């Protein structure tokens, strides 16, 4: 072993000592339309770490010590990439004038952002990682984002918490759930185009990163094209209209550059019925360039988003009313009113310093963010559930009755639901104003609000130690104070609300007024405090035929809850500060790349990362108590991938194989369970949960001619549960008569036998073939055929525990709960396999110095109906109930599914001065 290490060191030293003397590639980059010089264009040799940028005169000089055939890559924002085959023979190479064409498909990125904002499932888009891929040129990732995204495909099955998003080097992933909140900069498409993306485990100059990769969005005006751009869009997706305007001064003689951008998006209804959309965004950035070395910038972002939410549907409801149906809204005073709205307004202010000189590059910054994130809901108290899809209102309730099917009543229920499928606001007001209520609310509309204040400081740098050796480093500090509470927004005609739990008749706050009015905080009120300190370093080595890097990361994380209400159900463990929990973790990753030739190379990456459990999975029920998840452990991630790249003059692509295992994951679910383990709203805690992700990716692009380009991509994955986790059920109103439930309201259900079940991480198989034509007269059209398969709904864990097989009336196993019958009842069925055809196109003109562009797309041309995901309901807590519910083939508590959009369009008109 030691001899092997010595030989490797000798090889590296030899390569360093005998590297060839540098030669150079030079040229001048111009705009093809008007021969104007292009400043800041990136010039790089594909497959190598060598790159430079053009100066004020459009000139570049790229020093190298390479021999052989390579591809020179020249790119600039809003221009088509120029790929030039070159042969290097140890001599200087002058390429003269190089003309870049404006990218007539540049507005395709706008289309992608529209897709990533769809959010058929309220948290789906934040869980979906495709927003990370907005700027990548990788063939596979580009297709995954533009075409697979509408089916909520996830690259390698990863959640977006495994990819990091940075604004000017500042992390935007939330401490609470680890995910970036895209809406914090939504609608600012013009100013987030300057992105640097590192895929997967690749080395990054900005951060240690996640296993999915990372995106740094450079918001400085100097990195964006100067001038005025105005655009307007029409679509039938999440919003129906949008206007956007951006002005960039460019770097002026006084060394100041500034940029302003604003947008407005709206819809009375989106594609899904009753889903209003009301959003506006403002952005401003001021940059002062002291000299070529020192720059500071001040940036402010305000993006406000209000959106009506929609619901998952059982197959029964879908068959009755279709995929556009949404039960959350109804008509009030002639207008649509949605009971479930989500509002986000979290302004951001960033102050950044940039130092670039010779072999040193340093970035420092401070970020302050504050604001609110709220979700509205309709609460009901000792009153009927107002949801029109409540199981007692549907035909299946009468068909699945324990006393026998009543088809006549089922038909009456079917006709009644079809004729009145929406929320009845008038009946809600009548109930609240009835004499029997005596002014007390039977229904209230409230907001579950999170009000965060976060301060972040970060220092990041890169030092070139030698021609072949570079050292990167970074240190981060974050402090979060998060206020969480429920607020009454509308008493719906009542005079007051009595703040008690309707199941146990206990007070939610024994120290406050029991009668609440509009604007009062009720139900729960607590704060989270979190602190994070992170340090990372990276060493990169670049030799003529080999490249390698080694990166390390150390992180300290602490969480604490502070209860502001003393809950009568948790008298001793709800008010005041909880125990402070702390975690210290590390991450290691490394990569090695071997150049076979200048146009073929292979890379291998590996990582071992330990992460603190998410804040959202650390407290069992933070709304009511300080109770921590028992035996809370850090999550362990071990992963590796191998990649083969090809970069020929006409053919480019990548083939990847990957393996990832998540260990010691903790998960918390909330639901109502009936019988078996008791009947109550519960918190289900899973610990010791492992997950396995493995598969392959393929992406190829072939330039058939100067006008026609073909592409094909494929992703074949296998994402499954890799362990049988421990399951604990925690009751809000602990059933004291059950001797198996301890005084804290907790019941240990043992293990859930879920190993081998598929994860609900989007389609595990995806394929696409595309053809694109670009005419020399600046119009283009593209068509992509997509196939998506092997998608699964999320399983109910409680139904895979031993308690599920116990008859609550006898305390013994159900006689017919055999392995065969259980497997038949609990078999995991895949969702639909489906095909989607997408079309895009555009045209552009240059008239009197004005650049005009039109972009149009039609997604799902054939209006295919498909399910994007879903979940099994856990209401039936034992085998007998679930079996009875499934006898008719139309269970009352069937899985609920999210349905994809049918045929949609997007049209954008832009003009740039």
């Amino acid at each position: 072993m030691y001899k092997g290490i010595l030989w490797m060191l000798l090889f590296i030293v030899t390569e360093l000592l005998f590297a060839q003397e540098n030669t150079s590639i030079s040229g001048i980059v111009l705009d093809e339309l008007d021969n104007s010089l292009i400043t800041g264009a990136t010039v790089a040799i594909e497959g190598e770490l060598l790159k430079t940028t053009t100066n004020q005169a459009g000139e570049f000089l790229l020093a190298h010590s390479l021999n052989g055939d390579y591809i020179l890559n020249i790119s600039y924002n809003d221009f088509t990439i120029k790929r030039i085959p070159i042969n290097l023979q140890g001599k200087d190479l002058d390429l003269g004038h190089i003309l870049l064409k404006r990218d007539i498909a540049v507005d395709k990125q706008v289309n992608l952002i529209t897709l990533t904002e769809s959010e058929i499932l309220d948290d789906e888009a934040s869980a979906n990682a495709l927003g990370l891929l907005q700027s990548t040129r990788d063939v596979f990732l580009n297709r995954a984002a533009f075409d697979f995204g509408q089916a909520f495909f996830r690259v390698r099955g990863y959640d977006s918490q495994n990819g990091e998003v940075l604004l000017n080097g500042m992390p935007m992933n939330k401490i609470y759930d680890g995910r970036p909140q895209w809406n914090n900069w939504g609608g600012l498409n013009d100013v987030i185009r300057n992105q640097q993306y590192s895929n997967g485990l690749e080395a990054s100059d900005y951060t240690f990163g996640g296993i999915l990769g990372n995106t740094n969005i450079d918001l400085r005006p100097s990195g964006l094209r100067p001038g005025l751009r105005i655009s307007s869009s029409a679509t039938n997706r999440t919003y129906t209209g949008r206007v956007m305007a951006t002005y960039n001064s460019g770097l002026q003689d006084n060394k100041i550059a500034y940029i302003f951008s604003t947008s407005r998006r709206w819809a009375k209804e989106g594609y899904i019925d009753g889903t209003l959309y009301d959003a506006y965004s403002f952005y401003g950035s001021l940059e002062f360039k002291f000299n070529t070395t020192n720059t500071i910038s001040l940036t402010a972002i305000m993006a406000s988003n209000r959106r009506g939410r929609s619901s998952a549907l059982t197959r029964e409801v879908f068959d009755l009313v279709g995929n556009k149906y949404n039960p959350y809204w109804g008509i009030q005073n002639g207008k649509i009113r949605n009971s479930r709205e989500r509002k986000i307004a979290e302004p951001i202010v960033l102050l950044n310093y940039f130092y670039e000189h010779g072999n040193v590059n340093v970035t420092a910054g401070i970020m302050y963010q504050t604001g609110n994130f709220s979700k509205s809901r309709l609460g009901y108290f000792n009153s009927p559930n107002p949801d029109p899809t409540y199981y007692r209102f549907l035909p299946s309730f009468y068909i699945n009755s324990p006393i026998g099917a009543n088809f006549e009543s089922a038909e009456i229920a079917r006709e009644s639901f079809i004729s009145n499928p929406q929320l009845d606001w008038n009946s809600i007001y009548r109930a609240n104003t009835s004499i029997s209520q005596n002014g007390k609310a039977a229904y209230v509309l409230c907001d579950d609000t999170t009000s965060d204040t976060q301060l972040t400081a970060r220092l990041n740098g890169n030092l070139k130690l030698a021609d072949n050796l570079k050292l990167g480093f970074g240190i981060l500090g974050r402090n979060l104070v998060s206020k969480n509470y429920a607020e009454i927004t509308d008493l719906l005609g009542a005079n007051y609300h009595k703040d008690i739990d309707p199941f146990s008749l206990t007070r939610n706050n024994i120290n406050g007024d029991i009668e609440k009015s509009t604007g009062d905080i009720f139900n729960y009120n607590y704060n989270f405090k979190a602190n994070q300190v992170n340090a990372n370093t990276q060493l990169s080595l670049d030799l003529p035929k080999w490249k390698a890097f080694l990166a390390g990361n150390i992180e300290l994380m602490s969480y604490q809850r502070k209860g502001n209400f003393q809950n009568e159900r948790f008298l001793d463990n709800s008010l005041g500060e909880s125990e402070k929990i702390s975690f210290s973790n590390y991450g290691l990753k490394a990569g090695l790349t071997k150049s076979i030739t200048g146009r073929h190379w292979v890379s291998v990456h590996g990582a071992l990362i330990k992460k603190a459990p998410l804040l959202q999975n650390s407290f069992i029920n933070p709304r009511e108590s300080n109770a921590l998840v028992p035996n809370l452990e850090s999550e362990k991630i071990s992963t590796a991938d191998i990649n083969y790249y090809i970069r020929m003059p006409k053919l480019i692509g990548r083939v990847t194989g990957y393996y990832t295992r998540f260990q010691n994951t903790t998960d918390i679910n909330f639901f109502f369970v009936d019988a078996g383990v008791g009947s109550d709203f519960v918190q289900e805690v899973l610990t010791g949960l492992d997950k396995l992700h493995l598969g392959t990716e393929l992406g190829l692009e072939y330039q058939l001619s100067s006008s026609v380009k073909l592409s094909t991509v494929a992703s074949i994955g296998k994402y499954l549960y890799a362990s049988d986790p421990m399951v604990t059920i925690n009751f809000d109103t602990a059933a004291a008569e059950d001797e198996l439930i301890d005084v804290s309201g907790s019941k240990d259900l043992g293990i859930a036998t879920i190993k081998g079940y598929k994860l609900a991480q989007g389609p595990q198989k995806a394929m696409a073939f595309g053809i694109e034509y670009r005419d020399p007269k600046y119009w283009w059209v593209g068509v992509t055929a997509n196939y998506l398969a092997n998608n699964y709904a999320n399983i109910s864990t409680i139904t895979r525990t031993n308690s599920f097989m116990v008859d609550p009336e006898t305390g013994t196993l159900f006689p017919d709960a055999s392995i065969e019958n259980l497997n038949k009842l609990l078999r995991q069925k895949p969702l639909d396999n489906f095909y989607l055809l997408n079309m895009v196109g555009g045209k552009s003109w240059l008239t009197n110095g004005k650049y005009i562009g039109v972009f149009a797309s039609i997604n799902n041309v054939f209006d295919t109906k498909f399910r994007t995901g879903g979940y099994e309901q856990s209401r039936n807590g034992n085998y007998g109930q679930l079996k009875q519910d499934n006898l008719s083939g139309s269970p009352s508590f069937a899985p609920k599914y999210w349905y994809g959009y049918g045929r949609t369009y997007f049209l954008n008109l832009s003009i740039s001065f």
Side-chain angles (χ1 to χ4, degrees), residues 696-709:
T696 59
E697 298 170 344
L698 167 71
L700 295 173
E701 188 174 81
Y702 182 71
Q703 195 75 42
L704 187 63
S705 69
S706 59
S707 300
V708 179
K709 183 166 59 179

Side-chain angles (χ1 to χ4, degrees), residues 66-362:
L66 302 173
N67 272 304
D69 292 325
Y70 293 87
I71 301 291
L72 188 70
N73 185 304
I74 304 171
S75 61
Y76 187 61
N77 283 337
D78 299 349
F79 282 78
T80 302
I81 289 177
K82 189 90 167 184
R83 303 178 70 248
I84 303 174
I86 54 176
N87 179 263
L88 303 177
Q89 298 179 345
K91 299 179 181 179
D92 291 342
L93 179 62
D94 185 358
L95 297 176
H97 289 181
I98 301 171
L99 303 179
L100 293 189
K101 291 184 178 181
R102 290 182 181 260
D103 188 353
I104 56 180
V106 68
D107 283 325
K108 191 173 183 180
Q109 187 181 39
V110 175
N111 194 33
L112 167 61
I113 295 172
T114 301
L115 287 173
T116 57
E117 289 178 347
S118 294
E119 297 188 40
I120 297 174
L121 170 59
D122 188 59
D123 293 322
E124 186 77 17
S126 59
N128 193 336
L130 295 179
L132 286 167
L133 315 178
Q134 291 173 7
S135 65
T136 178
R137 299 285 186 173
D138 182 272
V139 179
F140 171 81
L141 296 177
N142 188 274
R143 180 67 66 226
F146 283 96
D147 291 285
F148 300 161
Q150 62 192 308
F152 292 96
F153 172 84
R154 299 185 189 181
V155 175
R156 303 187 186 181
Y158 296 158
D159 187 284
S160 64
Q161 63 178 276
N162 294 299
E164 191 171 5
V165 176
L166 312 170
L167 297 184
N168 279 359
M170 310 299 286
M172 299 305 299
N173 296 60
K174 296 286 189 178
I175 290 178
Y176 178 72
D177 60 7
R179 297 167 174 168
Q181 178 52 260
W182 310 110
N183 291 282
N184 286 162
W185 53 91
L188 298 171
N189 307 3
D190 287 345
V191 296
I192 63 172
R193 292 184 177 184
N194 190 13
Q195 303 181 15
Q196 299 85 34
Y197 178 73
S198 296
N199 183 31
L201 299 173
E202 290 177 350
S204 171
D205 289 338
Y206 304 97
T207 179
F208 179 80
I211 62 173
L212 179 63
N214 57 83
T215 296
N216 180 59
I217 302 175
D218 191 337
L219 298 171
R220 287 179 289 176
S222 59
L224 298 167
R225 178 179 300 173
L228 174 65
R229 186 177 190 272
I230 301 172
S231 66
S232 179
S233 305
T235 179
N236 65 337
R237 294 174 182 165
T238 52
Y239 53 81
T240 55
R242 185 194 66 185
V243 291
M244 182 165 57
T246 301
Y247 176 73
N248 186 359
S249 71
L251 190 62
Q252 303 176 101
D253 293 338
N254 58 5
K255 301 180 180 180
I256 291 178
Y258 59 88
I259 186 171
F260 296 101
S261 185
T262 183
S263 75
R264 176 83 168 85
R265 294 164 291 165
W266 68 90
K268 183 178 179 181
E269 286 185 287
Y271 184 86
I272 304 297
D273 293 341
T275 53
L276 68 90
Y277 195 105
D278 183 16
Y280 59 86
S281 305
F282 299 103
Y283 164 91
S285 184
L286 178 67
E287 180 181 7
F288 180 66
K289 203 171 184 66
F290 292 95
N291 47 46
T292 57
T293 301
N294 299 279
T295 304
I296 61 170
S297 70
L298 178 64
T299 303
I301 299 174
M302 173 58 186
S304 174
N305 188 296
R306 175 187 171 213
R307 176 176 301 176
R309 297 163 62 196
S310 59
S311 172
L313 308 174
T314 63
R315 189 57 188 253
E316 177 185 18
V317 173
F318 168 79
D319 289 339
L320 290 171
V321 285
N323 67 324
K324 290 188 176 183
Y325 174 70
N326 177 17
Y328 289 156
W329 68 276
I331 297 294
Q332 182 183 355
N333 297 327
K335 295 182 179 180
I336 292 173
R337 186 180 188 184
N338 194 320
S339 64
R340 299 282 187 111
E341 291 186 3
R342 193 198 61 184
K343 301 175 185 176
I344 301 175
E346 299 178 312
I348 304 169
V349 178
L350 302 101
L351 178 64
N352 295 97
Y353 167 72
F354 304 88
Y355 176 86
E356 300 178 37
H357 180 71
N359 297 330
V360 181
N361 183 309
V362 176

Side-chain angles (χ1 to χ4, degrees), residues 26 33 303 337 703 738:
S26 60
L33 282 176
R337 186 180 188 184
Q703 195 75 42
D738 190 335

